[in-house]
C-alpha cells in the first residue's frame, strides 16, 4: 500500500480529447483511485494555474487544510489591526498628538504607535476598555473608525461562513458512509454476479441515494503513456435506502464488460472498478458522495458476504464487525459467458465437482474433503 501512495500520475493538459497519463516509476501498478476515494493526480503546466483558485476564492478557502485556514484568518486579523493602527498613528503625528501632550488628541490616550495599535484592536474586536476613545477633534479619524467597523463586520462574516462551510463539508459526512474492502463473485438465481457492500455508520440514516459504477481500463501506448477508457457498469436497484447495509449487485450477463472474464482471466487483467454513492444528507440537505475502487486483486471469486442483519424483539440488529467478512460458497471457475454456454447450475449444487473458490490472493483453492463446510475470510 505504501508503494502505491508514493507514486503519482501526471496529466498532460495539452491534450483535450483524451486523458493521457504517464507513470513516473515502473513497478507495481498505480491505482486510478485510492480506496478512500482520492485520486493520486497532480497537474503540471496547467494554463493559468492560480487563476481558477483566485476567481473562486471562497471554494478555495473551504477546500484548503485547517492549519492553513487558521493561519490565514489569524494573519488577516493581525495585519488589519497593524494597518489601521498605523493609520491612527500617522493621524496622531500629523495632528501633533505625539509631541504636544497638552494638545487635544484625535483619540484619547493615543500618544504613540503602541497606543494606536491597541485602539485599532479594541475598535475592530469590540473589546474596548474605556481608556481610549474617539474624540470630535479629527474628522479623518472618525471616518477611519467607521471604515474599520464596516471592514470588521465583513471580515467576521467571511471567517464565520468559511468555518461553518468547512465543518459541514460533504467530505466529512462521506467518511461515515463506507464500502466493503473487497467485492465478491457468486451465484444469484443461477447467474454469476459481482457484488459489494455499502453501509452507513451513523445513526441518522440515509433514505435516498444513487449508486453508480464504472470500469476504468488502462491502455498502454508507445512512449510509456497510458490512455484511459471508461465503461458503464449496470447495477440492479441503483436507488438505495441505507437504513441497513445494502449489497450492490451487478449481473455478469451479456453486455457486461466483465462477462467474458473468469477467475484466471482476472489475474492478468488491468482495470479498476470505480464505484460511488451520491446522496443528500438528512441533517444539512447538502449533496454528498462516497466512492472507492476495486482492482482485480480486490475481487474474491467464489465468496459471499456474511449475514450481518438480525431481527430482535424491538430493533433490527446490525453487526458491523461482519461488514467485511466473507464465506466460501460453491461457484464454478468459469466466466459468465462460458457458464451460460454450458448451462447455468443450480445455486448451492456441487454438480461440477468439489467446492472450489479463490483465496485472498486469487489463487485456486480446493476443499480436500469435498463437503460444503463454511470457511470464513475477512477482506483486507
Amino acid at each position: 500500500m505504501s508503494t502505491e501512495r508514493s507514486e503519482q500520475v501526471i496529466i498532460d493538459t495539452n491534450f483535450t480529447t483524451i486523458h493521457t497519463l504517464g507513470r513516473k516509476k515502473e513497478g507495481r501498478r498505480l491505482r486510478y483511485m485510492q480506496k478512500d476515494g482520492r485520486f493520486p493526480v497532480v497537474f503540471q503546466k496547467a494554463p493559468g494555474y492560480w487563476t481558477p483558485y483566485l476567481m473562486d476564492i471562497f471554494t478555495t478557502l473551504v477546500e484548503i487544510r485547517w492549519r492553513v485556514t487558521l493561519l490565514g484568518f489569524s494573519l488577516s486579523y493581525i495585519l488589519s489591526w497593524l494597518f489601521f493602527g498605523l493609520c491612527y498613528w500617522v493621524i496622531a503625528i500629523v495632528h501633533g498628538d505625539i509631541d504636544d501632550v497638552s494638545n487635544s488628541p484625535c483619540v484619547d490616550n493615543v500618544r504613540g504607535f503602541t497606543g494606536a495599535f491597541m485602539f485599532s484592536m479594541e475598535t475592530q474586536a469590540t473589546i474596548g476598555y474605556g481608556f481610549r476613545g474617539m474624540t470630535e477633534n479629527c474628522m479623518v479619524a472618525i471616518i477611519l473608525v467607521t471604515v474599520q467597523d464596516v471592514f470588521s463586520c465583513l471580515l467576521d462574516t467571511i471567517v464565520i461562513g468559511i468555518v461553518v462551510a468547512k465543518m459541514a463539508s460533504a467530505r466529512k459526512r462521506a467518511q461515515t458512509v463506507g464500502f466493503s474492502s473487497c467485492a465478491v463473485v457468486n451465484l444469484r438465481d443461477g447467474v454469476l454476479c459481482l457484488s459489494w457492500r455499502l453501509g452507513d455508520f451513523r445513526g441518522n440514516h440515509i433514505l435516498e441515494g444513487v449508486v453508480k459504477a464504472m470500469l476504468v481500463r488502462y491502455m498502454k501506448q508507445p512512449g510509456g503513456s497510458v490512455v484511459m477508457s471508461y465503461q458503464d457498469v449496470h447495477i440492479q436497484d441503483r436507488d438505495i435506502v441505507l437504513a441497513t447495509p445494502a449489497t450492490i449487485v451487478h449481473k455478469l450477463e451479456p453486455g457486461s464488460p466483465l462477462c467474458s472474464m473468469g477467475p484466471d482471466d482476472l489475474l492478468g487483467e488491468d482495470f479498476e472498478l470505480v464505484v460511488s454513492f451520491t446522496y443528500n444528507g438528512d441533517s444539512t440537505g447538502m449533496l454528498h458522495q462516497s466512492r472507492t475502487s476495486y482492482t482485480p486483486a480486490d475481487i474474491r471469486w467464489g465468496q459471499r458476504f456474511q449475514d450481518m442483519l438480525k431481527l430482535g424483539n424491538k430493533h433490527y440488529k446490525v453487526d458491523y464487525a461482519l461488514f467485511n467478512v466473507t464465506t466460501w460458497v460453491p461457484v464454478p471457475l468459469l466466466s459468465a459467458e462460458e457458464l451460460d454456454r454450458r448451462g447455468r447450475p443450480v445455486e448451492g449444487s456441487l454438480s461440477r465437482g468439489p467446492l472450489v473458490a479463490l483465496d485472498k490472493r486469487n489463487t485456486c483453492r480446493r476443499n480436500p474433503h469435498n463437503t460444503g463446510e463454511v470457511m470464513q475470510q475477512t477482506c483486507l
Side-chain angles (χ1 to χ4, degrees), residues 179-192:
F179 294 89
S180 57
S181 302
C182 66
V184 297
V185 176
N186 50 45
L187 288 171
R188 289 174 175 263
D189 298 327
V191 180
L192 277 178

Side-chain angles (χ1 to χ4, degrees), residues 31 54 94 97 101 119 146 204 211 256 283 288 290 302 327 329:
R31 298 182 72 104
L54 296 178
V94 173
D97 299 340
V101 180
F119 177 73
T146 304
N204 50 339
V211 178
S256 168
S283 300
H288 305 267
S290 298
T327 58
V329 291

Side-chain angles (χ1 to χ4, degrees), residues 240-251:
I240 300 297
V241 176
L242 209 57
T244 58
T247 301
I248 314 303
V249 179
H250 165 64
K251 288 186 176 182

Side-chain angles (χ1 to χ4, degrees), residues 13-319:
T13 56
N14 293 327
F15 295 89
T16 57
T17 57
I18 60 174
H19 297 288
T20 302
L21 288 78
R23 297 184 188 177
K24 294 181 66 177
K25 297 181 180 179
E26 294 293 330
R28 192 174 182 181
R29 186 182 62 83
L30 177 63
R31 298 182 72 104
Y32 177 74
M33 178 193 288
Q34 302 291 349
K35 295 293 288 184
D36 58 1
R38 295 179 302 161
F39 292 91
V41 177
V42 293
F43 294 93
Q44 292 186 348
K45 299 180 181 179
Y49 181 74
W50 289 104
T51 303
Y53 296 96
L54 296 178
M55 293 179 62
D56 190 9
I57 188 65
F58 181 81
T59 303
T60 302
L61 294 175
V62 171
E63 291 181 348
I64 60 178
R65 297 180 181 273
W66 270 106
R67 56 177 176 267
V68 180
T69 301
L70 296 177
L71 178 61
F73 290 163
S74 300
L75 289 177
S76 64
Y77 280 108
I78 294 174
L79 292 177
S80 63
W81 296 340
L82 288 173
F83 172 76
F84 285 103
L86 181 63
C87 293
Y88 291 126
W89 183 48
V90 171
I91 291 175
I93 293 176
V94 173
H95 193 259
D97 299 340
I98 304 299
D99 300 328
D100 190 1
V101 180
S102 62
N103 185 28
S104 297
C106 294
V107 182
D108 289 331
N109 299 307
V110 173
R111 300 291 182 177
F113 178 75
T114 303
F117 175 78
M118 294 296 295
F119 177 73
S120 173
M121 182 175 61
E122 293 169 6
T123 301
Q124 188 166 331
T126 64
I127 55 173
Y129 302 108
F131 183 69
R132 300 176 184 86
M134 180 60 62
T135 65
E136 300 177 357
N137 300 324
C138 299
M139 182 58 64
V140 177
I142 295 175
I143 295 175
L144 185 61
V145 168
T146 304
V147 172
Q148 186 176 7
D149 288 337
V150 175
F151 174 80
S152 175
C153 294
L154 293 176
L155 183 60
D156 291 342
T157 302
I158 294 173
V159 170
I160 294 173
I162 291 175
V163 170
V164 171
K166 286 182 69 67
M167 294 179 65
S169 174
R171 290 176 296 178
K172 302 301 180 183
R173 180 64 178 96
Q175 293 177 358
T176 61
V177 177
F179 294 89
S180 57
S181 302
C182 66
V184 297
V185 176
N186 50 45
L187 288 171
R188 289 174 175 263
D189 298 327
V191 180
L192 277 178
C193 296
L194 173 68
S195 58
W196 58 92
R197 259 180 177 165
L198 175 65
D200 183 9
F201 308 134
R202 291 181 62 91
N204 50 339
H205 302 294
I206 300 168
L207 299 181
E208 184 179 1
V210 178
V211 178
K212 294 183 179 180
M214 180 177 294
L215 198 70
V216 182
R217 293 183 181 272
Y218 306 80
M219 295 181 291
K220 292 185 179 181
Q221 300 293 320
S225 63
V226 178
V227 176
M228 316 297 297
S229 66
Y230 307 90
Q231 293 176 280
D232 290 330
V233 176
H234 176 71
I235 295 176
Q236 283 189 312
D237 303 326
R238 296 176 55 186
D239 296 327
I240 300 297
V241 176
L242 209 57
T244 58
T247 301
I248 314 303
V249 179
H250 165 64
K251 288 186 176 182
L252 303 182
E253 294 179 323
S256 168
L258 301 174
C259 182
S260 60
M261 296 184 192
D264 296 332
D265 300 326
L266 287 176
L267 301 177
E269 286 291 335
D270 192 12
F271 68 86
E272 197 160 328
L273 181 65
V274 177
V275 298
S276 65
F277 178 56
T278 306
Y279 54 96
N280 288 319
D282 57 345
S283 300
T284 61
M286 297 178 61
L287 187 67
H288 305 267
Q289 185 182 78
S290 298
R291 54 181 182 258
T292 191
S293 67
Y294 299 104
T295 62
D298 298 324
I299 298 177
R300 314 294 187 229
W301 196 281
Q303 298 186 35
R304 69 171 180 84
F305 288 108
Q306 183 78 342
D307 296 332
M308 56 185 298
L309 180 63
K310 296 181 180 180
L311 181 62
N313 294 330
K314 297 183 178 179
H315 305 280
Y316 293 96
K317 298 180 180 180
V318 179
D319 186 4

